[in-house]
Amino acid sequence: MEILAKCPKCDAGLPVHAADAPAAIKCGGCGRDIPLSVSQAVRADAGIERCPVCEGGDFYIRKDFDPKVGLTVVIIGALISAGFYWFGRDLIAYSILASAALIDLVVYGRLKDVTVCYRCHSEFRGSYPRTANAFDLHTADVLEVEYERRIGRR
Ligand SMILES: [Zn+2]
Ligand SMILES: [Zn+2]
């Protein structure tokens, strides 16, 4: 399992390999020491029951989507179709736009799920079975406030 630990102080994302994760890492952004308590299940890529960064037990699932990739496809599609539109080939222009959107959709559907910690936003990628639910705004509001109070950001 790959962990993207989020620094509690500056929100920098710090990649950690769960199998040989150290007891603590140092943030490359602000120099803060971040203790990690990686559980057996996380180390073995068997599942996530406790967050190694904040020790919270609440997670949600989202698609591992890189918005930059999707946007690039749409922009390139739009540019090409604008060219055709200029020369009066509206039908070709529209079909290129449509296929660009379709490519995005296909890419999105094939994406793997990533598990995210509600409290500290650390991300977990691996072949473990996904057990968390989809994102819930109310849960996020409650847990984020609780966590930020605890680490003294509020
Ligand atoms: Zn930091
Ligand atoms: Zn966490």
Side-chain angles (χ1 to χ4, degrees):
M1 191 191 298
E2 296 295 330
I3 306 171
L4 191 71
K6 287 286 167 73
C7 173
K9 196 170 162 197
C10 70
D11 283 329
L14 312 160
V16 182
H17 196 63
D20 47 16
I25 51 172
K26 203 176 191 67
C27 174
C30 65
R32 183 194 163 111
D33 284 314
I34 306 163
L36 293 179
S37 58
V38 184
S39 69
Q40 273 307 323
V42 171
R43 257 184 220 284
D45 198 6
I48 305 164
E49 77 298 18
R50 190 163 48 83
C51 174
V53 181
C54 70
E55 305 202 332
D58 302 277
F59 305 92
Y60 64 89
I61 294 271
R62 69 164 172 79
K63 290 283 183 195
D64 201 359
F65 186 63
D66 185 352
K68 276 176 284 183
V69 178
L71 202 65
T72 311
V73 173
V74 169
I75 288 174
I76 292 172
L79 284 176
I80 298 173
S81 67
F84 279 104
Y85 195 78
W86 182 257
F87 291 106
R89 312 262 180 181
D90 332 19
L91 211 64
I92 302 175
Y94 290 133
S95 47
I96 290 173
L97 260 186
S99 39
L102 206 69
I103 291 171
D104 259 22
L105 220 70
V106 170
V107 170
Y108 190 80
R110 291 172 58 105
L111 288 170
K112 289 194 121 189
D113 286 332
V114 58
T115 304
V116 187
C117 173
Y118 267 118
R119 289 179 176 84
C120 68
H121 304 140
S122 293
E123 297 168 7
F124 306 88
R125 294 174 174 83
S127 53
Y128 61 90
R130 308 296 194 260
T131 48
N133 293 317
F135 181 75
D136 176 66
L137 189 63
H138 177 69
T139 313
D141 276 348
V142 174
L143 295 179
E144 273 175 22
V145 170
E146 179 222 283
Y147 177 63
E148 290 185 353
R149 282 222 179 89
R150 181 149 63 96
I151 60 173
R153 286 227 304 218
R154 285 195 194 208

